[in-house]
Amino acid sequence: MKKIKSTSLKKVLQFAKPYKTRYISVILFAIALSLFAALRPYLLKQTVDGYISTNDKEGLLNYILLMGLVLILEVSSQFYFVYWANWLGQDIVKDIREKLFRHITAFKMKFYDNEPVGKLVTRTVFDIESIAKIFSQGLFMIISDLLKMIVVLAFMFYMNWELTLIVLISMPILLYATRIFQIKMKGAFEEVRTQVSNLNTFVQERLTGMKIVQLFNREEIEYKKFQEINAKHNKAWLKNILYNSIFFPIADIISSLTLGFIIWYGGLDILSGSGTTTFGDLFAYTMLISMLFNPLRQIADKFNELQMGIIASDRVLGLLHTENQIQNTGTTVAGHFKGDIDFENVRFSYIEDEEVIKGINLNVKAGETIAIVGATGAGKSTIINLLNRFYEIDSGTISVDGTNINQFTLESLRRQIAIVLQDVFLFADSILNNITLNNPNITREQVIDAAKEIGVHDFIETLPGGYDYNVKERGVMLSSGQRQLIAFLRAYVSNPSILILDEATSSVDTYSEELMQNATEKITEGRTSIVIAHRLATIVNADKIIVMDKGLIVEQGSHYDLINQESGYYKNLYYSQFAVESTEEDI
């Protein structure tokens, strides 16, 4: 815990630097609040002893007005303190969230291969909201309460040191109970955060894969799993509630007993006629004990809010300090490529010592359309990932137009490469925005013209609202073929130097496939294109076909060159697939 306090909290406070004036103002309001709060009971004592006891009506009125003024100042200080503390917390959280989002969008794809999406959602949403509580309900509230307690004790000693000693005798008991409570709550809060993360991850995955859940009749099984996770989540929160239920009644009992001793001792002192206690003291101490014990009792709760925020900040800052980005050290801004691509002895492994690409050499000439074929796991899609620098190669070089791709800035490199994937992802937005991806440099007119050129304009116009049709989350309102057409158009309007089609026509209907074949011919015209396909009939007209097996290039050439190789890998693959397709057509 000490380590977290000295590192994570300190780093979170660094985000308050741009708001230094507001930060200092919150502290000043906290000081003013503590002074005005402690002044009211003192004025009450003066009113009782100096004006009520002496029947001084004019003096009584003046002190009542003074108490009213102090109350207004206290309320005003409290308003600005609470408002500015929350305002500061929300602005700091906004800055952290923006920095975190920018940070995680630069991570390598390998990071997302290993990290659950639900866990990342918890970090970027729920944990960051907990950080806001450091300022709104934790740190500043604790500072305010401590200041109030110090000022209250000072006033109490000034008014009656004997009664104050009685109060101090009971405070160690409350402090000890508070410490025990804080230790127990720390473990409870950590368990709560863990179970919240597990719950978010489980729900995220099941909702995303709901089609699989229902297709394989997994509803009851997944429900039972959810019950187990939810029960653990519930148990973690119940432990939290139990500790609160025990601590606060104990704190109330200690406070009430202390007040009882004060009234008893003070009353006897007054009745003896020789003591220093006054009726004003009893009135004032009734308020002062509440002002002293309530903050002390609430500090435990606020400390837990602070602790929960610190635990959350430790998680968020841990993610912020994760160095898993592609090294964007290139300084050359890629212009429009001619399209020459060279792989020289490239090796790559997703898992250390388990190579997926095993020293391949590949040359693609500008304007060529090449096809990459091979069995599943041969390394076809990996080549695309490496060209886009989604992953870093282990050794070798990849060059475009004679320049190592590491020398280009990531943004400019990827701007010149467009990919159409088999599994098209669409955002819950209009078709137009899914095509332009909100790029202000691409106009509606350009999109419409491009759609007409590749033959998908008529299809879009048949949808309600046309280009303004909202496809909903992941494009569920469109068929897989329609989503592919949108992806083709998205690639085309970006005007890339290099086009990649990754199994883009492998699972679509005949009508959509015909549209895509026409679109493919249009968008590959005049630019370097790489086509990955399981259906070999779709790539027979490629300038060159690269055949891969187990991370190696085993054959390359035109369709006619490869089909005529005796016992060739491609020949066997082609005829075995052709035979299967023929059988399916007969059926």
Side-chain angles (χ1 to χ4, degrees):
M1 182 61 197
K2 289 181 179 179
K3 185 179 179 181
I4 295 176
K5 280 186 178 180
S6 62
T7 56
S8 298
L9 182 58
K10 186 177 180 181
K11 289 174 182 176
V12 169
L13 291 176
Q14 295 296 314
F15 286 91
K17 283 186 175 180
Y19 311 101
K20 186 177 180 180
T21 301
R22 206 185 310 167
Y23 185 90
I24 295 173
S25 298
V26 172
I27 299 296
L28 292 176
F29 282 125
I31 295 172
L33 177 59
S34 62
L35 288 172
F36 292 133
L39 187 58
R40 280 195 300 113
Y42 177 75
L43 292 176
L44 177 62
K45 166 186 165 57
Q46 295 298 100
T47 302
V48 172
D49 292 340
Y51 301 102
I52 295 179
S53 298
T54 59
N55 199 26
D56 185 349
K57 294 181 181 178
E58 184 178 348
L60 176 63
L61 178 61
N62 290 335
Y63 256 75
I64 292 297
L65 292 175
L66 180 59
M67 289 176 66
L69 176 61
V70 170
L71 179 61
I72 291 171
L73 292 173
E74 180 187 351
V75 170
S76 298
S77 298
Q78 185 171 21
F79 168 77
Y80 284 108
F81 169 71
V82 173
Y83 180 78
W84 282 39
N86 279 273
W87 182 19
L88 176 62
Q90 288 302 319
D91 277 351
I92 289 173
V93 160
K94 175 180 68 69
D95 294 344
I96 295 175
R97 185 181 286 117
E98 289 176 356
K99 185 175 181 179
L100 180 62
F101 184 79
R102 178 178 289 276
H103 186 70
I104 63 176
T105 55
F107 280 157
K108 302 175 185 176
M109 288 298 111
K110 187 175 182 179
F111 177 84
Y112 296 101
D113 294 340
N114 300 321
E115 288 292 328
V117 174
K119 179 180 175 181
L120 296 177
V121 171
T122 300
R123 297 291 175 271
T124 54
V125 180
F126 299 104
D127 282 340
I128 287 185
E129 284 302 322
S130 294
I131 294 176
K133 293 181 181 180
I134 291 178
F135 300 93
S136 62
Q137 300 177 33
L139 181 64
F140 289 131
M141 290 296 180
I142 291 174
I143 291 173
S144 175
D145 287 342
L146 288 174
L147 285 172
K148 187 182 294 185
M149 291 170 62
I150 292 170
V151 174
V152 164
L153 277 173
F155 271 90
M156 290 172 77
F157 270 111
Y158 177 74
M159 287 187 291
N160 192 312
W161 65 271
E162 292 177 345
L163 296 181
T164 305
L165 287 177
I166 295 174
V167 174
L168 290 178
I169 289 172
S170 62
M171 285 188 70
I173 301 173
L174 185 57
L175 285 171
Y176 178 74
T178 301
R179 177 58 179 163
I180 296 298
F181 175 67
Q182 176 262 321
I183 293 172
K184 294 293 184 181
M185 288 300 291
K186 176 182 179 292
F189 275 134
E190 288 177 338
E191 179 64 19
V192 165
R193 298 312 303 168
T194 299
Q195 295 307 325
V196 167
S197 179
N198 291 341
L199 192 63
N200 287 337
T201 299
F202 183 88
V203 173
Q204 171 83 24
E205 289 181 346
R206 270 57 185 184
L207 291 179
T208 303
M210 186 54 67
K211 187 178 291 185
I212 300 299
V213 171
Q214 295 184 356
L215 182 63
F216 288 92
N217 298 313
R218 298 274 303 180
E219 293 94 337
E220 192 62 30
I221 295 173
E222 298 301 336
Y223 174 69
K224 289 179 179 178
K225 286 185 179 179
F226 179 80
Q227 280 184 312
E228 293 175 7
I229 295 174
N230 196 36
K232 291 179 181 178
H233 178 265
N234 178 257
K235 184 178 179 181
W237 271 111
L238 286 177
K239 185 184 292 184
N240 184 300
I241 295 168
L242 174 63
Y243 294 146
N244 278 283
S245 301
I246 294 172
F247 173 75
F248 288 107
I250 290 175
D252 286 337
I253 289 172
I254 295 172
S255 177
S256 299
L257 288 174
T258 303
L259 180 58
F261 276 115
I262 290 292
I263 299 297
W264 173 73
Y265 182 85
L268 290 177
D269 198 30
I270 292 171
L271 291 174
S272 69
S274 60
T276 58
T277 305
T278 66
F279 281 106
D281 289 334
L282 294 183
F283 275 100
Y285 269 72
T286 302
M287 295 179 64
L288 289 168
I289 287 175
S290 177
M291 288 183 176
L292 185 65
F293 278 63
N294 281 346
L296 185 60
R297 186 188 72 172
Q298 292 169 5
I299 277 178
D301 193 39
K302 290 167 185 174
F303 188 84
N304 287 320
E305 293 289 353
L306 174 62
Q307 199 165 34
M308 196 168 185
I310 291 173
I311 291 170
S313 70
D314 198 44
R315 296 169 185 261
V316 171
L317 292 173
L319 189 57
L320 265 176
H321 295 145
T322 299
E323 295 298 330
N324 211 317
Q325 290 90 356
I326 294 290
Q327 294 301 309
N328 190 13
T329 56
T331 56
T332 304
V333 177
H336 197 80
F337 292 137
K338 288 190 300 181
D340 289 317
I341 303 172
D342 288 290
F343 282 65
E344 295 181 13
N345 196 29
V346 172
R347 295 180 178 274
F348 172 76
S349 54
Y350 292 103
I351 301 173
E352 191 174 355
D353 297 328
E354 295 183 19
E355 283 191 340
V356 177
I357 300 297
K358 303 173 182 179
I360 67 169
N361 293 284
L362 173 64
N363 173 258
V364 183
K365 295 180 180 178
E368 274 190 337
T369 295
I370 72 160
I372 304 177
V373 301
T376 301
K380 306 184 298 297
S381 296
T382 300
I383 287 180
I384 293 171
N385 290 331
L386 299 180
L387 180 60
N388 281 276
R389 295 197 64 203
F390 292 143
Y391 298 85
E392 298 279 22
I393 61 177
D394 296 339
S395 63
T397 58
I398 302 175
S399 304
V400 177
D401 291 347
T403 302
N404 191 313
I405 60 173
N406 292 339
Q407 297 179 23
F408 296 115
T409 63
L410 272 177
E411 181 183 3
S412 64
L413 172 68
R414 291 173 179 171
R415 191 185 299 124
Q416 295 304 319
I417 303 173
I419 305 178
V420 180
L421 299 171
Q422 178 184 6
D423 183 18
V424 177
F425 185 93
L426 298 181
F427 296 95
D429 205 337
S430 67
I431 285 181
L432 180 66
N433 288 338
N434 269 290
I435 294 169
T436 65
L437 296 177
N438 295 302
N439 185 341
N441 297 320
I442 303 176
T443 66
R444 186 186 189 92
E445 290 70 27
Q446 287 176 309
V447 172
I448 294 174
D449 289 341
K452 290 177 179 178
E453 287 178 20
I454 67 172
V456 299
H457 174 72
D458 292 339
F459 139 66
I460 295 175
E461 283 296 298
T462 61
L463 300 172
Y467 289 86
D468 296 314
Y469 180 63
N470 192 312
V471 300
K472 304 300 181 184
E473 187 175 0
R474 298 182 64 87
V476 295
M477 303 304 291
L478 302 178
S479 69
S480 60
Q482 290 172 329
R483 290 196 296 270
Q484 288 284 5
L485 292 172
I486 298 300
F488 268 81
L489 183 53
R490 180 161 62 191
Y492 187 54
V493 298
S494 67
N495 190 30
S497 305
I498 299 169
L499 177 69
I500 298 171
L501 306 179
D502 188 357
E503 302 178 9
T505 61
S506 62
S507 58
V508 297
D509 56 85
T510 304
Y511 173 72
S512 296
E513 183 176 3
E514 185 178 343
L515 286 176
M516 276 186 274
Q517 288 294 344
N518 295 331
T520 301
E521 291 177 9
K522 182 66 180 178
I523 66 178
T524 57
E525 185 179 332
R527 57 170 56 90
T528 303
S529 303
I530 301 174
V531 181
I532 294 177
H534 279 307
R535 299 176 64 181
L536 304 185
T538 62
I539 47 89
V540 292
N541 294 321
D543 296 311
K544 183 164 55 177
I545 297 173
I546 308 298
V547 185
M548 295 193 66
D549 183 41
K550 298 178 181 178
L552 295 169
I553 296 176
V554 293
E555 293 175 357
Q556 56 181 306
S558 69
H559 169 74
Y560 299 102
D561 291 335
L562 297 176
I563 206 73
N564 290 318
Q565 286 188 17
E566 190 67 30
S567 302
Y569 188 100
Y570 177 82
K571 181 178 181 180
N572 293 333
L573 192 66
Y574 181 82
Y575 281 116
S576 62
Q577 187 177 103
F578 181 77
V580 170
E581 290 179 353
S582 298
T583 303
E584 289 175 349
E585 289 176 3
D586 292 339
I587 294 173

